[in-house]
């Protein structure tokens, strides 16, 4: 099923209009695994590098926004609604947020290791550098449709 079909099914079920705005996207690293964890309700948060938003002229996510989560083949897996967005330095991401991301052993140590690698790669590709004071956009969400 593609994003448009999933969105139509969701809007018919919950009574909002099909014209309500939504984004369709996949996770940047391991999209199949992270989409599955999200659909299963294990992954209820994500994080992204704040400097890349300004560089790409992209707005930060907002509470109440909807997204259709796609796998690596652009197949729609679920619809989520953003429930909380905040910006914090990488070094101040909490164990609670790491747990909500649902990856690995769900520890802060695991989160820091994989995100330092991922953010470092993304920042280098953009001609920027990563350090632990870099701001991170932390987003929490709930699955509203599978």
């Amino acid at each position: 099923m593609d994003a448009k079909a999933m969105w139509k099914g969701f809007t018919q079920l919950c009574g909002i209009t099909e014209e309500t705005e939504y984004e369709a996207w996949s996770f940047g690293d391991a999209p199949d695994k992270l989409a599955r964890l999200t659909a299963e309700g294990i992954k209820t948060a994500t994080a992204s590098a704040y400097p890349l938003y300004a560089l790409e002229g992209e707005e930060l996510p907002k509470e109440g926004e909807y997204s259709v989560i796609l796998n690596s083949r652009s197949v729609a897996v679920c619809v989520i609604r953003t429930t909380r967005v905040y910006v914090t330095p990488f070094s101040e991401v909490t164990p609670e947020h790491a747990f909500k991301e649902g990856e690995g052993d769900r520890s802060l140590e695991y989160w820091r290791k994989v995100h330092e690698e991922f953010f470092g790669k993304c920042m280098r590709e953009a001609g920027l550098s990563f350090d632990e004071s870099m701001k991170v956009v932390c987003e929490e969400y709930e699955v509203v449709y599978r």
Side-chain angles (χ1 to χ4, degrees):
M1 169 182 314
D2 67 6
K4 188 174 181 179
M6 175 152 299
W7 183 250
K8 183 175 183 174
F10 168 67
T11 59
Q12 289 174 342
L13 180 70
C14 73
I16 65 172
T17 67
E18 244 181 280
E19 291 75 32
T20 301
E21 290 187 30
Y22 70 95
E23 296 280 331
W25 52 273
S26 58
F27 291 98
D29 193 30
D32 294 330
K33 174 184 167 188
L34 300 180
R36 179 183 50 79
L37 289 172
T38 296
E40 292 173 358
I42 296 168
K43 180 173 179 59
T44 60
T46 194
S48 48
Y50 180 83
L52 299 179
Y53 284 88
L55 188 66
E56 296 169 4
E58 190 176 328
E59 288 187 31
L60 295 181
K62 294 178 183 71
E63 291 179 21
E65 289 182 330
Y66 292 98
S67 297
V68 175
I69 301 300
L70 307 172
N71 67 17
S72 64
R73 297 171 312 284
S74 296
V75 173
V77 176
C78 62
V79 177
I80 62 170
R81 186 179 66 82
T82 301
T83 58
R84 182 177 182 214
V85 178
Y86 60 97
V87 177
T88 191
F90 179 90
S91 62
E92 295 180 22
V93 169
T94 65
E96 293 80 17
H97 182 83
F99 184 83
K100 289 176 182 180
E101 287 219 22
E103 301 171 49
D105 66 2
R106 301 178 86 172
S107 69
L108 182 57
E109 293 75 23
Y110 180 87
W111 185 91
R112 284 186 175 156
K113 178 184 179 295
V114 298
H115 283 81
E116 183 173 344
E117 291 169 8
F118 180 69
F119 290 155
K121 177 183 160 226
C122 293
M123 296 293 282
R124 282 189 302 278
E125 289 173 356
L128 303 170
S129 60
F130 168 84
D131 69 63
E132 291 198 0
S133 66
M134 181 190 83
K135 291 183 179 180
V136 174
V137 179
C138 296
E139 180 179 357
E140 297 177 12
Y141 52 81
E142 63 183 351
V143 175
V144 293
Y145 185 74
R146 291 181 240 289

